[in-house]
Amino acid sequence: MLSVAILIVGFLLLLSILVVIHESGHFIVAKLAGVKVEEFGVGFPPRLWGIRRGETVFTLNAIPLGGFVKMVGEESPYDPRSLAAKSPGIRFLVMAAGPFMNLILAVLLFSVMFMIPQEVTVGDVLVVGVSPDSPAGEAGILAGDIIVATDGHTIDNDRDLRYRINLSLGDPMAWLVQRSGEQVVAIVEPRLKPPEEQGATGIIVSTVNLRMESRVTPVWTAPWKGVQRTGEVLVLIKNEFAKWIVGGAAPEVAGPIAMGQVFGEVTQGEGLTLKNRGLATISLAAIISLSLAIFNFLPIPALDGGRMFFVVIEWVRRGKRISPEREGMVHLVGFAVLITLAIMISLVDIARIFRGDSLLGG
């Protein structure tokens, strides 16, 4: 019971840090733009604690699943220091600053992860089977080939290969394979919707001649690798939705409860060293932060993206604004819908936990 309580507190602390960073983006840009900020809240009311610094009250609230920055007149432009009184460009920047901070944090966390020395499983990725009518079969891949690299990326193990394939679904890949002492290039196009008995490329592989190597990325190149990894995660998300569109399984939708479950699994996984658990936690924090950025950039009422969408409409209409009352009603309805969806997703997450299912597979 104590370990469960520690996990819950740890996850809520992680989520709170991500929320504070998100809201700090709004707060900093709003203050720089001369907008009056009345409250910076961590969690949602009722209020547990608060302290005033200047014109802003910083509060800690009872519901620890979010946060907010309360600015004067977010929809009403009648106060000269209100957000709504500012130019469309300023309002757009204030709203975009929150998810942008989550995006930057994801890059930073991935960069830190690469700077930590890691033990990597390295071996030869041997093709042990090829389906004749599959993309690999049509490209001339043969049983006995060793896959050396794809699109210039060295393949160390079968997990590396699956990762690169998932990044390239629907797009041609250049595979460098070793065959009978020679190296051959084959162009393989992984399928978005493969037959049930096959994977995206139609091959079966096994990693042989295994060994362990310690690797670390230099500080001066880690930030670029962090940017690359962030972009790759975005591509993986896009590909999951692309598979759904062509008739595949719908992407998994996870709420805070499911994220807490994953947090517990990666921090308490059997057979993991303390360092590996730390690396997994950093990676999970980066993915959650990136998810928050994506979600808040979407044009959904009540979220940052929804408010940015109204600013874009104003630009398109050459400065003609939608009335504050109408915009406020749209955001209120959107908030009610989001709360309803959050409750439904939470019920699904709870049912998944009682079934003993894992979002990590296995």
Side-chain angles (χ1 to χ4, degrees):
M1 184 63 70
L2 179 60
S3 62
V4 173
I6 293 173
L7 284 175
I8 292 173
V9 171
F11 175 68
L12 291 178
L13 179 61
L14 171 62
L15 195 60
S16 297
I17 292 171
L18 298 180
V19 168
V20 166
I21 291 173
H22 175 101
E23 298 301 335
S24 294
H26 294 310
F27 178 79
I28 292 169
V29 177
K31 296 292 284 185
L32 289 174
V35 177
K36 182 178 180 180
V37 180
E38 296 181 320
E39 183 176 353
F40 185 121
V42 178
F44 293 117
R47 182 183 298 182
L48 298 177
W49 175 86
I51 185 171
R52 178 175 291 277
R53 288 290 181 267
E55 62 186 13
T56 305
V57 178
F58 296 86
T59 63
L60 181 65
N61 300 285
I63 304 175
L65 297 176
F68 62 93
V69 169
K70 183 181 178 183
M71 292 170 270
V72 170
E74 295 188 18
E75 281 90 31
S76 174
Y78 304 117
D79 189 309
R81 292 194 61 201
S82 69
L83 176 64
K86 301 300 179 181
S87 68
I90 292 296
R91 282 184 278 129
F92 189 91
L93 288 175
V94 171
M95 292 304 166
F100 181 74
M101 288 289 283
N102 283 128
L103 178 63
I104 295 301
L105 178 62
V107 173
L108 177 62
L109 289 172
F110 281 132
S111 302
V112 170
M113 185 182 70
F114 284 119
M115 285 186 268
I116 299 174
Q118 303 177 40
E119 294 295 319
V120 179
T121 302
V122 178
D124 297 325
V125 180
L126 176 68
V127 179
V128 297
V130 184
S131 299
D133 298 327
S134 66
E138 293 174 354
I141 301 296
L142 304 174
D145 287 347
I146 294 176
I147 302 173
V148 178
T150 65
D151 293 333
H153 298 279
T154 301
I155 300 300
D156 291 323
N157 49 56
D158 56 307
R159 186 178 58 202
D160 273 357
L161 180 61
R162 287 194 300 271
Y163 181 74
R164 291 295 160 190
I165 289 173
N166 286 331
L167 281 173
S168 300
L169 295 179
D171 297 317
M173 305 173 67
W175 288 15
L176 179 64
V177 302
Q178 184 173 319
R179 180 184 301 158
S180 302
E182 298 182 355
Q183 290 191 334
V184 180
V185 175
I187 305 301
V188 182
E189 186 172 328
R191 300 166 291 194
L192 283 166
K193 189 181 179 183
E196 290 186 7
E197 68 277 7
Q198 297 181 16
T201 60
I203 61 172
I204 300 172
V205 297
S206 176
T207 305
V208 298
N209 302 323
L210 295 175
R211 62 189 185 279
M212 300 298 294
E213 291 185 3
S214 180
R215 295 181 181 176
V216 62
T217 302
V219 174
W220 53 90
T221 59
W224 174 239
K225 290 196 70 173
V227 171
Q228 288 180 312
R229 177 56 58 88
T230 302
E232 288 169 357
V233 173
L234 292 174
V235 171
L236 291 173
I237 293 172
K238 183 265 293 182
N239 287 346
E240 284 298 310
F241 280 94
K243 288 194 293 185
W244 179 37
I245 290 172
V246 298
E252 288 277 3
V253 178
I257 293 175
M259 288 189 289
Q261 178 191 3
V262 174
F263 176 81
E265 291 176 0
V266 300
T267 56
Q268 300 294 313
E270 294 183 6
L272 293 179
T273 65
L274 182 61
K275 184 171 72 172
N276 286 338
R277 290 176 182 177
L279 288 167
T281 302
I282 293 172
S283 179
L284 176 63
I287 291 172
I288 294 175
S289 187
L290 184 57
S291 299
L292 288 173
I294 295 169
F295 190 57
N296 278 282
F297 271 128
L298 295 176
I300 300 173
L303 297 181
D304 298 327
R307 297 181 185 279
M308 286 187 280
F309 183 68
F310 275 92
V311 175
V312 172
I313 292 176
E314 182 180 337
W315 274 336
V316 171
R317 299 175 70 186
R318 299 183 180 180
K320 185 178 179 181
R321 301 180 63 165
I322 295 174
S323 70
E325 294 77 15
R326 183 173 298 177
E327 180 179 349
M329 181 57 65
V330 171
H331 292 313
L332 180 61
V333 172
F335 181 75
V337 172
L338 285 174
I339 292 297
T340 302
L341 288 175
I343 293 172
M344 294 173 62
I345 292 171
S346 296
L347 292 175
V348 172
D349 292 341
I350 292 170
R352 182 192 294 116
I353 292 173
F354 276 109
R355 291 197 306 268
D357 296 342
S358 170
L359 286 171
L360 298 178

